[in-house]
């Protein structure tokens, strides 16, 4: 099997996907913009060949790279980056080179549009916030009245993370939004309060989950980024039952096959007409790639497993060969920012909780706005122990 992995060196943990593919017997062919010497011995060992491009955004250059690898190794069976930023380009390359194991150009559109996702939630029987396309200020004002008033939430119809999102709380805020809005298409949604829970899964080629997990995130990443707050979230020992059911229904509605997925849901704090009651899960958005940052490693820590291997087994064998461990706890992430002063040093945290901390270090600058500059990931048996760790590390 010939597998082209786009940008195998970033994020750093993605080299584990390449390693596991190589272990499973795949010929892993990398395309990236970093020099070969900078990849590190472990990634170099996983790659049968590496083609460096000046820019991953230059489609002509990417086409030449794939054509060259085909001339050297024969037909490509898989092409993937597992990266939100490159999903459309991945699909275009698959279409142009007749690679049929992933989403093509026609299919990727239904994964990218936040407005377009609503029809799939409805088909799945999963409630989601009402929304409208943001066209004129008058139409937006009509929508605000339709959903019972402010606040409302505006976000790019196609986008990653909290970038470009706005909470609009009054008429003045609505006017300011339209005065500043770029030409990027936006959608506006009724405002829903509650923490964000993910449904993370590795889906096989028949649409069946081989692995399932869930993380709990704070309700507003935009606020964390804008106000430069500390960031913490956790992977749960078990997926809540309603979330599992709604996650699986959403997978089926979108027709997901042979992918690692990260789907986000609100867990309602209070009764919300048309959506549900306290504790119910409401569809937020679908991402057809692994959760960001080191979240896949948090899943490994929480569930005593190897999601990189499970994914590679799905690709190479169509099934899961790694058995379930049955050893599940919380894994909590704590991200600290260089602009803040903490009561306990990095070394203090490791000295106090060294037996619990499974990963720690510095975050790459490219994702530090969201994730913080230095981080700890600790495995804890219950919520009380998790809160004790967070309290000490963030004091």
């Amino acid at each position: 099997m010939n597998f082209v992995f786009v940008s195998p060196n970033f994020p750093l943990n993605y080299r584990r996907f390449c390693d596991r593919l190589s272990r499973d017997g795949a010929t892993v062919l990398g395309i990236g913009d970093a020099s070969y010497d900078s990849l590190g011995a472990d990634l170099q060992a996983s790659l049968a060949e590496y083609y460096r491009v000046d820019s991953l955004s230059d489609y002509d250059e990417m086409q030449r790279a794939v054509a060259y690898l085909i001339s050297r190794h024969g037909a490509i069976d898989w092409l993937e980056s597992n990266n939100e930023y490159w999903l459309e380009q991945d699909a275009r390359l698959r279409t142009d080179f007749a690679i049929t194991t992933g989403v093509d150009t026609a299919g990727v559109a239904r994964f990218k549009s936040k407005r377009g996702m609503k029809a799939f939630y409805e088909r799945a029987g999963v409630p989601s916030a009402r929304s409208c396309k943001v066209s004129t200020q008058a139409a937006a004002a009509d929508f605000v009245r339709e959903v019972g008033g402010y606040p409302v939430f505006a976000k790019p119809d196609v986008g990653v993370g909290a970038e470009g999102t706005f909470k609009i709380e009054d008429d003045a805020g609505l006017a300011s939004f339209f005065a500043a809005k770029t030409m990027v298409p936006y959608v506006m949604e009724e405002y829903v309060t509650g923490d964000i829970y993910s449904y993370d899964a590795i889906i096989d080629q028949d649409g069946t989950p081989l692995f399932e997990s869930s993380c709990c995130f704070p309700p507003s990443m935009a606020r964390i980024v804008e106000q430069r707050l500390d960031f913490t979230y956790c992977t749960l020992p078990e997926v809540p039952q309603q979330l599992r059911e709604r996650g699986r229904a959403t997978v089926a509605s979108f027709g997901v096959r042979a992918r690692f997925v990260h789907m986000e849901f609100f867990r309602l704090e209070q009764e919300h007409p048309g959506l549900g009651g306290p504790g119910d899960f409401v569809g937020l958005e679908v991402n057809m790639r692994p959760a960001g940052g080191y979240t896949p490693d948090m899943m490994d820590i929480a569930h005593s497993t190897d999601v990189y291997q499970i994914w590679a087994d799905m690709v190479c064998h169509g099934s899961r060969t790694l058995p379930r461990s049955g050893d599940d706890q919380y894994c909590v992430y704590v991200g600290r920012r260089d602009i803040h002063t903490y009561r306990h040093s990095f070394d203090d945290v490791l000295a106090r909780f060294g037996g619990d901390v499974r990963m720690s270090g510095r975050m790459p600058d490219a994702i530090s706005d969201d994730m913080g500059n230095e981080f700890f990931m600790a495995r804890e048996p219950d919520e009380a122990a998790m809160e004790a760790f967070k309290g000490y590390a963030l004091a």
Side-chain angles (χ1 to χ4, degrees):
M1 173 186 290
N2 290 329
F3 192 110
V4 171
F5 205 104
V6 177
S7 188
N9 60 302
F10 184 85
L12 189 64
N13 51 327
Y14 275 24
R15 63 192 59 222
R16 297 189 181 97
F17 287 121
C18 296
D19 173 75
R20 307 312 190 263
L21 286 169
S22 180
R23 290 187 196 180
D24 273 359
T27 299
V28 188
L29 309 167
I31 302 176
D33 56 6
S35 69
Y36 180 77
D37 290 342
S38 72
L39 299 182
D42 56 343
L43 181 53
Q44 290 173 356
S46 301
L47 300 176
E49 187 158 2
Y50 178 73
Y51 190 107
R52 195 194 74 80
V53 295
D54 291 329
S55 171
L56 289 165
S57 299
D58 185 330
Y59 190 73
D60 290 340
E61 196 174 11
M62 293 296 292
Q63 277 190 311
R64 289 193 295 271
V66 175
Y68 172 80
L69 292 173
I70 290 173
S71 73
R72 293 268 294 164
H73 299 275
I76 303 302
D77 300 291
W78 284 75
L79 183 147
E80 186 61 76
S81 67
N82 276 339
N83 191 314
E84 182 81 23
Y85 194 81
W86 304 117
L87 287 186
E88 290 175 285
Q89 181 169 269
D90 291 349
R92 186 178 175 188
L93 288 167
R94 291 190 203 102
T95 301
D96 288 351
F97 288 96
I99 302 167
T100 60
T101 48
V103 184
D104 61 12
T105 300
V108 77
R110 69 180 186 270
F111 298 154
K112 297 289 289 182
S113 167
K114 294 180 176 62
R115 174 70 174 160
M117 291 175 188
K118 300 296 183 180
F120 292 91
Y121 283 130
E122 184 175 0
R123 191 166 69 189
V126 174
S128 63
R130 287 172 289 179
S131 71
C132 72
K133 291 182 179 179
V134 174
S135 51
T136 66
Q137 186 171 337
D142 288 342
F143 177 75
V144 171
R145 286 190 288 272
E146 177 187 332
V147 298
Y150 296 103
V152 292
F153 197 72
K155 56 188 176 181
D157 189 36
V158 175
V160 182
E163 184 176 355
T165 60
F166 299 88
K167 181 182 178 183
I168 300 172
E169 304 198 55
D170 51 32
D171 288 342
L174 187 67
S176 296
F177 166 75
F178 274 91
K181 188 176 86 67
T182 67
M183 295 301 292
V184 173
Y186 266 76
V187 295
M188 188 168 289
E189 291 188 344
E190 63 180 319
Y191 195 76
V192 178
T193 58
D195 287 335
I196 296 171
Y197 282 68
S198 67
Y199 173 78
D200 299 285
I202 298 171
I203 309 300
D204 72 9
Q205 297 175 41
D206 296 321
T208 302
L210 299 175
F211 167 83
E212 295 171 297
S213 183
S214 178
C215 294
C216 177
F217 298 87
S220 175
M221 279 301 300
R223 177 172 171 267
I224 287 168
V225 173
E226 289 168 5
Q227 299 183 20
R228 314 297 291 162
L229 304 177
D230 297 320
F231 177 49
T232 180
Y233 69 108
C234 72
T235 301
L236 306 175
E238 297 289 340
V239 182
Q241 182 60 32
Q242 188 191 70
L243 178 60
R244 186 188 304 273
E245 293 168 357
R246 292 187 172 181
R248 289 181 178 183
T250 304
V251 164
S253 178
F254 275 88
V256 180
R257 298 288 186 273
R259 295 200 68 79
F260 208 139
V261 298
H262 172 68
M263 301 180 173
E264 296 179 355
F265 295 77
F266 282 115
R267 189 173 200 175
L268 296 178
E269 289 181 346
Q270 57 193 23
E271 184 79 23
H272 195 114
L275 296 181
D280 284 341
F281 290 95
V282 173
L284 175 56
E285 66 181 60
V286 168
N287 300 286
M288 296 300 169
R289 43 81 179 169
Y294 292 131
T295 308
D297 301 278
M298 293 176 63
M299 297 175 198
D300 282 357
I301 293 167
H303 304 297
S304 302
T305 193
D306 185 337
V307 297
Y308 304 97
Q309 188 66 60
I310 297 170
W311 176 84
D313 289 347
M314 177 273 295
V315 170
C316 296
H317 308 301
S319 61
R320 173 175 177 163
T321 62
L322 193 67
R324 290 169 174 79
S325 71
D327 180 16
D328 305 291
Q329 294 190 13
Y330 290 90
C331 180
V332 58
Y333 177 95
V334 167
R336 310 202 305 186
R337 299 190 184 275
D338 291 345
I339 62 171
H340 302 315
T341 301
Y342 297 92
R343 187 177 305 167
H344 308 293
S345 71
F346 188 90
D347 290 339
D348 288 341
V349 176
L350 294 182
R352 175 77 175 269
F353 292 95
D356 299 342
V357 175
R358 304 302 172 88
M359 285 182 64
S360 61
R362 298 284 299 180
M363 266 291 160
D365 290 343
I367 54 177
S368 62
D369 279 355
D370 286 343
M371 305 297 293
N373 302 105
E374 66 180 21
F375 73 93
F376 305 92
M377 286 157 44
R379 179 177 161 95
E380 300 294 352
D382 52 45
E383 291 189 41
M386 184 169 62
E387 292 302 320
F389 173 76
K390 288 162 54 177
Y392 185 88
L394 295 176

